[in-house]
Amino acid sequence: RFPQLGEDIFKELNNRSLVKCKRVDRTWNSFLVDQRFILMRKIRKTTGLSSEFKKMWKYSCIMQ
C-alpha cells in the first residue's frame, strides 16, 4: 500500500538483512521483487554508479 515507506525501510538494511526479509514473508518477498529493489541494489553494487559507467550508458543510449 505504501511503496515509498517500504523503500525507505528496506534502504536502511544491509544486504544480509534484506535477504532475510525476503525469506520471512511472501508479502515482503513480493514487494522486494515487484519494486525491483534487490535488482537495483545489485546493479549499484556492481557498477558503483561510477562516472565511467554513466558515460558508457549515455553513449549506448545515443547509439540506439
Side-chain angles (χ1 to χ4, degrees):
R1 283 187 163 177
F2 306 100
Q4 185 60 42
L5 179 61
E7 283 184 32
D8 291 344
I9 291 170
F10 288 124
K11 280 181 187 175
E12 297 298 319
L13 299 176
N14 62 22
N15 291 340
R16 184 173 286 172
S17 297
L18 190 63
V19 170
K20 286 181 183 178
C21 286
K22 188 176 175 188
R23 294 180 188 158
V24 168
D25 185 58
R26 287 183 190 171
T27 306
W28 289 5
N29 183 9
S30 296
F31 175 79
L32 291 169
V33 170
D34 291 345
Q35 297 296 320
R36 298 182 179 143
F37 196 80
I38 293 176
L39 179 62
M40 293 304 296
R41 192 176 273 205
K42 286 180 183 178
I43 291 170
R44 282 190 199 110
K45 182 179 179 184
T46 303
T47 62
L49 293 179
S50 67
S51 60
E52 182 179 329
F53 174 76
K54 288 179 185 178
K55 288 176 188 175
M56 289 180 359
W57 184 266
K58 286 180 184 179
Y59 180 75
S60 68
C61 291
I62 293 170
M63 296 306 290
Q64 291 179 357

